[in-house]
Structures are given as C-alpha cells and as structure tokens.
Amino acid sequence: MTAYLSWPDPKFEPHEALAPDGTLLEDDEIDIGTLEQIYKTMLCARRFDERLLKLQRQGALGTFAPIKGQEAAQIGAAACLREDDWLVPSFRETGAALWRGADMADLLVTLAGWNAGNDLPEGARTLPDTVPVASQLPIAAGIAHAGRLRGEDAIVMACFGDGATSEGDFHEALNFAGVLEAPVVFLCQNNGWAISTPRARQTASQTLAQKAHAYGIPAAQVDGNDALAVMQVTQEAVALARDKGQPAMIEALTYRMEVHTTADDPTRYRDEGEVEEWQDRDPIERVRKLLVARSQLDDAMQEALEEEIRDRIDAAWKEAKDRISRLEETPGTAMFDHIFAEPTAPLRRQRKEFSDQEEAAND
Ligand SMILES: Cc1ncc(C[n+]2csc(CCOP(=O)(O)OP(=O)(O)O)c2C)c(N)n1
Ligand SMILES: [Mg+2]
C-alpha cells in the first residue's frame, strides 16, 4: 500500500537511506536545503545538550534528560510537521522543540526550577514536557480527535520511548486513535534502554512497531540515526494522517548515548563498549559527510556555525539568569497551582504544609 509503512501485512525492517559514511543508499531525490537546516538544528541541539549537562553539574540546573544520539530521530521527524501541527513531547525532545522554535532561555528558566519558563507562548502548538511515562499519549490522541471534530487539518505528533510501549496509556491511546481515526503520528524513539531496563527485557514483542497493528494502525521501523530515512518515513505517516485522517506509528531505532537523566549512572548497568559502537553511527556526522560531499559545508562554514551556536547559547543563559533574578514566583509552591482549576482539599493541605515548612526553614 505504501512505500515504508506496513499494513495490513506485518513487514518490519528498518528503512535506511544514508550510509554512516554519508553516501546515499538509493538514488533518492533529496531536499538538500532541508537537510542543511536539520544539520544546523542537530548540531545546535548537541551543543545545547552539552551545555545543559555542564550547568547541571555546576548546580545551576535541576535534573534533565539529555538527547545525545537521538537528534536525527526527533529533528528529522519534527521537520515534517507544519507550524500549526501539534508536537506532544515526552521529556527527551529538546531537539524537536528547538526545531519548532522553542526559546532556549525559556527552556533554561524551566530547567533551573522555575515554572515561568513553561508558560506556552500564545498559539504555541508544542506542549511542555511530560514526565509520567506515556501519559501524554491519550492526550495527543484527544487533541487529534478534537481537531478533526473542529474541521482542522492539523495533525499531532506524539513522542515516547521504548519503555512507554509497555504502559497502559500507550495501548489506550493507540486503541482510541485507531478506532476514532485520530490523525496522530506516534513517534517511538527506541533508544535501547528505559533507564536500566534494556530493550530485550522490555517486551517479548519482536518489534515495537508491530504493536500498532493490533490497533489497526500502519507502522514502520526506521534507522533513527539516519535523518533522511526518518524524514522519508515521517512524510508518509504525516500524509496519511493529514489526507486520510488516520494514525500511524514509527519506531525509530536509535541509541541513548548519554545518561538517562543527570540523576543516573549508566556505568552501573550497561557496557561502555556498546556506547562506543554507536559512536560510529553518530546521526550528526552522517549528514555532515553528505553536506561536505555536496559542497554545502566546509571547515570555515563549520567553524562559523559552531561560533554562532556558542553565542546563541551564551546569550540565552544570560537572558535566563536575568529573567530568574526578576521573578516573583516561589518555585516550591508553584507545583501545587496548576493541577486543577480548583485545588482539591488534599492539595490545599499539602500546599500549606509545604509553605509552613519553607517558612520554618527560612526563619
Ligand atoms: C508512569 C511512570 N513510571 C515510571 C517513571 C520513571 N521513569 C522515568 S523515565 C523511565 C523510563 C522511560 O523509558 P523510555 O520510555 O524508553 O524513554 P527514554 O527515557 O529511554 O527516553 C521511567 C521508568 C515515570 N516517570 N513515570
Ligand atoms: Mg528508551
């Protein structure tokens, strides 16, 4: 039926387009301009990730989830969305958010522990991070269904990990989207690990993609470290959602090259040799080699790009610190304020207990 998505017969093999040395595997027509933009955003996301890690280690930021290694999977996919489409992230989608124009200073304010950075700009269609695993997926299906009821042709991309596919919310969301024909592209970044649980211990299912078939949803596997392949598969899934109002699922095979979050020590449960093997499949290098071969990039341009990114991150951190110094918000109690329109009695009680403790500690 389609080039990459399999339905109704299950046929799951990761689609690849770009070899690790940057050569094209097939004689594809490629959109080099978009790949160049993707390259710039991937590099920016990598450098931002590195800076966040340093700032966190210095005590300036709270816990966060690095995306190193997953840039192509999420940026290649986000690049297929229109501005009025929705992106519903988990907690590891800084790259996709940056592609969608997220403000780095906002992200830094949030990561420093302030609620203010999470305020959605008017009309924004990228939701804030969701930490409870898979809980964003029924919401994504609901947004897509609501959009169709309103007659919109915007679609939803919902992001999650391999571990999320074992949660009830994943199954409920796929069931809902399948039966109601909600236009959601379910993007699973299978990065091999759910904290310390390896993919092999996550599920006995042969692929994660095939889980979608149980709900009548076409699905595909793709090499998630290959930005071009991710784009090709996602374009097809987006077209299915937009034109036919149908959901699709993509399993992007990738690898988490960093810690799960900054609160984690992966040397306690995974072999460093595994990380080294994936270095050779770095998603950014692959596109860089293609761009160099096509004379779209040289050393001087690369250097200028690095400098531009460094300046951008420096300016964002300066702005974030400045904004934080002017905030009137109390970081602690803000967490009680945005759960229900009317706080419940237990919440009111917990809020009071918390502020009494804060006051006592400050006396
Ligand atoms: C409902 C729920 N259970 C447990 C956790 C703790 N937790 C945070 S991330 C995570 C693993 C998620 O793995 P995966 O879905 O593969 O995403 P990844 O972290 O690899 O991006 C777990 C168990 C949580 N946040 N929410
Ligand atoms: Mg995972």
Side-chain angles (χ1 to χ4, degrees):
M1 152 190 145
T2 52
Y4 310 112
L5 289 164
S6 117
W7 179 261
D9 298 326
K11 191 172 154 281
F12 297 110
E13 259 186 42
H15 170 56
E16 298 173 348
L18 206 51
D21 67 0
T23 52
L24 291 179
L25 294 170
E26 276 173 34
D27 208 8
D28 292 314
E29 280 266 324
I30 60 165
D31 175 355
I32 198 81
T34 303
L35 278 169
E36 202 179 332
Q37 287 310 111
I38 288 177
Y39 176 72
K40 287 180 177 171
T41 308
M42 289 200 297
L43 192 67
C44 182
R46 176 72 59 92
R47 299 291 174 255
F48 189 53
D49 218 44
E50 290 164 353
R51 181 71 67 89
L52 293 181
L53 204 51
K54 276 194 196 140
L55 288 169
Q56 196 279 338
R57 296 306 188 217
Q58 289 164 7
L61 303 179
T63 305
F64 86 101
I67 66 157
K68 185 177 180 185
Q70 298 182 216
E71 293 89 350
Q74 53 184 257
I75 297 169
C80 301
L81 295 178
R82 280 191 334 214
E83 216 171 302
D84 65 337
D85 290 332
W86 292 86
L87 181 81
V88 180
S90 69
F91 44 78
R92 202 186 296 286
E93 272 82 39
T94 321
L98 288 175
W99 174 271
R100 305 264 296 166
D103 178 29
M104 274 183 190
D106 273 344
L107 298 173
L108 285 158
V109 169
T110 308
L111 289 173
W114 303 86
N115 208 39
N118 249 337
D119 289 343
L120 285 184
E122 195 62 39
R125 288 195 157 192
T126 302
L127 296 197
D129 284 2
T130 311
V131 173
V133 172
S135 64
Q136 72 278 21
L137 302 179
I139 294 169
I143 295 173
H145 183 53
R148 279 299 134 117
L149 292 178
R150 287 198 201 106
E152 290 185 17
D153 74 342
I155 65 134
V156 179
M157 179 175 284
C159 303
F160 54 101
D162 39 299
T165 68
S166 304
E167 290 281 357
D169 274 350
F170 165 82
H171 295 274
E172 291 173 30
L174 264 75
N175 186 57
F176 182 93
V179 79
L180 289 174
E181 300 194 336
V184 189
V185 174
F186 290 99
L187 175 69
C188 177
Q189 291 176 74
N190 173 0
N191 63 6
W193 293 89
I195 314 188
S196 55
T197 304
R199 161 63 181 89
R201 309 268 306 160
Q202 186 60 247
T203 169
S205 188
Q206 216 178 355
T207 68
L208 304 180
Q210 75 198 62
K211 295 188 180 194
H213 272 209
Y215 300 103
I217 296 178
Q221 274 192 324
V222 63
D223 178 345
N225 283 23
D226 176 341
L228 180 59
V230 171
M231 263 176 76
Q232 290 170 336
V233 174
T234 312
Q235 273 161 358
E236 192 175 285
V238 166
L240 188 69
R242 194 167 334 271
D243 304 338
K244 303 233 169 74
Q246 280 176 10
M249 175 170 156
I250 299 168
E251 177 187 355
L253 298 160
T254 179
Y255 191 75
R256 191 196 85 212
M257 300 194 68
E258 257 297 344
V259 289
H260 164 72
T261 66
T262 46
D264 168 61
D265 174 9
T267 60
R268 295 178 60 172
Y269 56 79
R270 79 176 177 188
D271 179 5
E272 280 304 292
E274 194 180 292
V275 184
E276 267 163 44
E277 266 172 47
W278 280 85
Q279 299 274 17
D280 299 335
R281 312 190 55 203
D282 190 302
I284 303 184
E285 264 311 282
R286 215 180 284 201
V287 182
R288 189 185 68 76
K289 285 176 178 157
L290 171 77
L291 293 176
V292 169
R294 299 279 171 118
S295 308
Q296 302 291 315
L297 190 70
D298 59 24
D299 289 350
M301 287 157 80
Q302 176 74 24
E303 214 174 293
L305 184 59
E306 293 276 11
E307 199 177 313
E308 186 189 313
I309 292 170
R310 208 166 35 241
D311 290 350
R312 210 180 131 199
I313 298 174
D314 287 346
W317 180 225
K318 193 164 170 288
E319 186 192 327
K321 281 189 293 189
D322 185 50
R323 274 168 50 187
I324 290 168
S325 72
R326 286 184 283 111
L327 282 177
E328 284 173 19
E329 170 191 331
T330 330
T333 49
M335 68 182 162
F336 298 103
D337 294 341
H338 304 283
I339 300 172
F340 299 106
E342 283 298 322
T344 57
L347 268 182
R348 278 201 302 272
R349 199 172 54 241
Q350 287 167 23
R351 191 184 201 286
K352 180 158 184 333
E353 265 175 36
F354 187 87
S355 41
D356 287 349
Q357 277 174 23
E358 290 270 282
E359 258 173 48
N362 291 335
D363 279 347

